[in-house]
Amino acid sequence: MGDSKYIHTEKTDWVALVRIVRHEILNALNLELVSELAEELLRLDGENDVRCIVLTGGQKAFAAGADISEMAGSTAIEMKMRNQFRVWDSIRLVRKPIIAAVNGFALGGGCELAMTCDMIVAGEDAKFGQPEVKLGVMPGAGGTQRLTRLIGKPRALELLLTGRRISADEAYRLGLVNRVVPSEDCVNEAVMLASEIAKQAPCAVQLIKEAANKALDADLQTGMEFERNAFYLLFATEDKSEGMRAFLEKRKPSFHGK
Ligand code: CAA
């Protein structure tokens, strides 16, 4: 259990469930909250009894974006010097898979935060969007890059340039979310998916996540080379011996992350 002002964590078998709790203001992401969140995710990344992380918000909002009241009076130079996105970017350093369980609004920075996660399970009432253009600005936490990579330029631009909100079903059709489930089941579904991942060999899981990220960040040849070397590296693990032996002995493997 790790609780701070805005972030509450519970652990079940191998899975950490992290909740953003600033519900009175729809989980608007101020600097302190994002710092606490990044710190917690990085802490859990180093915990031996955690193999997969679920990140969720409240029923009405996963997060309604960066805290507008915190930014409204800022100048360009203050924003630049504050360098707030350095903290957001540190979430990318988490090696374990993170699943976002999204109910309600995931707007602006909230949508960007969900996209920073590796998978998204959405409740049927979830609403996604990048409304920054309506505030006279643009996404700053990766929205133009991640949304474009995930759903393609024409469809991403339509959402980015109009600020239109989309439903969970539309987000599913566009390939932004993995699955849509009844809202009351959203967190449980995400935890079940996380538990399934947590049963796999931890070293393989981490390297597969890293390789999939290379597919977005690097050219094909670089990604292929990374994949091949990671594949060979896994032959050094006890879990590889256990996984293959268990297959040949027709039993379930028991992985220990070594
Ligand atoms: N920042 C600060 N406060 C916010 C907020 C935000 N992003 N989103 C909601 N709130 C506050 C509201 O001001 C309100 O506070 P009070 O009760 O003190 O008035 C409270 O949360 C409840 O919100 P609403 O009364 O507006 O609730 P609603 O159900 O009528 O509307 C909503 C919900 C459509 C999400 C609406 O709140 C809204 O449009 N929020 C802003 C969404 C937005 O523009 N997000 C992008 C922010 S910029 C960004 O994220 C940049 C980036 O790339 C990082």
Side-chain angles (χ1 to χ4, degrees):
M1 183 74 109
D3 284 350
S4 52
K5 187 168 166 194
Y6 297 120
I7 303 298
H8 293 181
T9 302
E10 299 161 41
K11 283 186 199 166
T12 53
D13 286 345
W14 303 114
V15 175
L17 173 60
V18 178
R19 280 181 201 277
I20 304 172
V21 282
R22 200 188 182 201
H23 300 322
E24 67 286 359
I25 191 168
L26 305 185
N27 285 346
L29 303 163
N30 64 6
L31 293 172
E32 192 182 356
L33 188 163
V34 178
S35 294
E36 282 184 7
L37 175 61
E39 201 175 296
E40 179 65 353
L41 293 173
L42 287 161
R43 188 184 71 78
L44 292 169
D45 200 37
E47 299 265 296
N48 285 336
D49 60 347
V50 173
R51 292 185 179 177
C52 196
I53 300 168
V54 172
L55 174 63
T56 195
Q59 280 305 313
K60 187 168 176 197
F62 175 74
D67 190 330
I68 297 170
S69 56
E70 195 176 60
M71 295 184 296
S74 300
T75 65
I77 295 303
E78 281 162 359
M79 290 296 282
K80 170 80 179 156
M81 298 313 283
R82 196 184 293 153
N83 194 14
Q84 70 191 60
F85 295 118
R86 190 173 48 86
V87 180
W88 290 71
D89 289 346
S90 69
I91 295 173
R92 277 194 320 173
L93 301 177
V94 175
R95 294 156 305 163
K96 293 171 185 169
I98 310 178
I99 302 171
V102 176
N103 276 318
F105 298 108
L107 302 179
C111 188
E112 291 171 296
L113 180 60
M115 290 191 288
T116 305
C117 297
D118 302 299
M119 285 160 271
I120 302 177
V121 174
E124 59 200 352
D125 69 341
K127 290 165 205 71
F128 297 84
Q130 297 289 162
E132 290 88 345
V133 72
K134 294 184 177 181
L135 300 170
V137 290
M138 63 183 285
T144 59
Q145 304 306 298
R146 292 206 172 92
L147 193 64
T148 304
R149 279 169 165 79
L150 284 170
I151 68 173
K153 180 179 158 185
R155 292 180 299 194
L157 268 186
E158 184 181 328
L159 298 183
L160 292 161
L161 296 179
T162 62
R164 178 166 73 83
R165 274 184 235 153
I166 58 171
S167 66
D169 282 336
E170 189 172 354
Y172 177 74
R173 286 196 299 277
L174 291 173
L176 185 60
V177 309
N178 291 62
R179 51 180 92 162
V180 181
V181 298
S183 303
E184 61 275 19
D185 299 338
C186 178
V187 173
N188 277 346
E189 282 276 338
V191 169
M192 269 156 51
L193 176 57
S195 302
E196 202 181 324
I197 293 166
K199 285 190 198 119
Q200 315 303 328
C203 299
V205 167
Q206 287 190 23
L207 283 171
I208 290 168
K209 168 170 169 169
E210 217 177 313
N213 281 337
K214 281 276 179 296
L216 298 179
D217 296 344
D219 62 89
L220 181 62
Q221 190 54 33
T222 306
M224 294 292 282
E225 278 163 23
F226 179 88
E227 180 192 84
R228 200 76 21 104
N229 284 324
F231 175 76
Y232 297 142
L233 185 60
L234 289 172
F235 278 69
T237 63
E238 288 174 19
D239 283 347
K240 169 261 168 187
S241 306
E242 163 64 6
M244 295 196 178
R245 202 167 45 233
F247 174 81
L248 295 172
E249 293 170 1
K250 302 190 187 309
R251 61 172 173 83
K252 283 204 171 130
S254 169
F255 294 124
H256 298 288
K258 288 191 255 182

